[in-house]
Amino acid sequence: MNLALVVMAVALGTGILQAGSPATPDLQIGDKAPPISLPRLDDGTTIQLPMISTGAPRATVLSFFAFWCKPCLQELPHLGRFVEKYRDKGLAVYLVCLDKNSAETLKAHAKQFGVTLPMLLDPDGWKAAFRYRVMDLKENVSIPQAFVLDRQGTVRAHYKGFTEEGVKEMEALPVSFTNS
C-alpha cells in the first residue's frame, strides 16, 4: 500500500484531518441575525433577539463570552464604555455567557469581575453559540465575539477576538445604525 494513503488513513482516523465537516461560514455584515431566546441571569426573564419582534426594536450588541476566557474579561470594560456612549440612543448590550456553571456561581463570578452588563445564559447546549457561529459542531469555541445588530436585526459589525483596534473601531461606530 502506498505510504501516502496509509498516512492519510491514520490522519483521518485520529481526527487530524476531518472529512465531511466543512466549516460553517461566519455571519457576514448585512446578514440577518438568527433569532434566539435566552434567559437573563439576574431575573430569568427571557429576552428575544434580535429585538425586532418585541414591539420596541432596538439596536443590540451581543457579546459571546465566558469567565474562563482572559480576552473576554479584557473586553468587558470596553463594552461598558460603549454602552455609556450609546445608552440614550436606544442601544441594548447583552453578554451571552457560555460558561456551564450554576447560576449562583455565575452571579459570584459577575460580582468578582465587576460585570454590570446584563448577562444571558445559553442553557440549551450552546444553541445560540451555534446559531451565531461562534462554536462549531465539535464544540470548538472562538470567543470573545461581538455582533452589532441594527433595529431590523441586520448584522452591522462583527468582532472576533479582543484587539485594541477592534475596540477603537467599535467605539467609533456611527450612531446612524441605532436610528434606522
Side-chain angles (χ1 to χ4, degrees):
M1 188 187 282
N2 184 331
L3 180 60
L5 289 175
V6 171
V7 170
M8 183 177 270
V10 169
L12 282 170
T14 61
I16 295 170
L17 293 177
Q18 297 172 7
S21 59
T24 304
D26 290 339
L27 287 176
Q28 301 296 313
I29 305 302
D31 286 351
K32 286 294 183 186
I36 56 174
S37 295
L38 299 173
R40 286 180 60 131
L41 175 64
D42 57 358
D43 63 9
T45 304
T46 298
I47 303 295
Q48 294 183 4
L49 299 164
M51 299 183 92
I52 56 176
S53 62
T54 62
R58 300 181 73 182
T60 308
V61 175
L62 292 179
S63 178
F64 289 83
F65 91 111
F67 285 109
W68 48 260
C69 168
K70 186 175 179 180
C72 297
L73 297 176
Q74 291 174 312
E75 180 185 58
L76 291 175
H78 300 285
L79 286 173
R81 284 199 301 276
F82 189 67
V83 168
E84 290 302 316
K85 181 175 181 177
Y86 289 110
R87 182 182 307 274
D88 62 343
K89 306 266 192 267
L91 179 72
V93 177
Y94 294 100
L95 302 174
V96 180
C97 185
L98 301 182
D99 281 297
K100 291 297 178 187
N101 295 316
S102 69
E104 293 77 26
T105 299
L106 294 175
K107 287 177 183 178
H109 287 327
K111 185 175 182 178
Q112 175 186 353
F113 292 106
V115 176
T116 58
L117 297 170
M119 279 196 323
L120 305 178
L121 304 177
D122 196 356
D124 296 325
W126 293 323
K127 190 181 294 185
F130 287 122
R131 297 202 72 195
Y132 276 78
R133 302 177 191 146
V134 301
M135 180 179 290
D136 66 20
L137 294 174
K138 294 195 178 272
E139 296 187 359
N140 296 311
V141 65
S142 174
I143 54 175
Q145 284 196 47
F147 297 87
V148 180
L149 312 178
D150 69 14
R151 291 178 188 255
Q152 288 73 41
T154 302
V155 177
R156 293 298 174 200
H158 177 200
Y159 302 95
K160 284 180 114 174
F162 172 76
T163 65
E164 293 296 327
E165 297 80 29
V167 166
K168 289 176 185 172
E169 186 179 312
M170 184 184 285
E171 290 175 349
L173 281 172
V175 296
S176 61
F177 72 89
T178 64
N179 297 326
S180 51

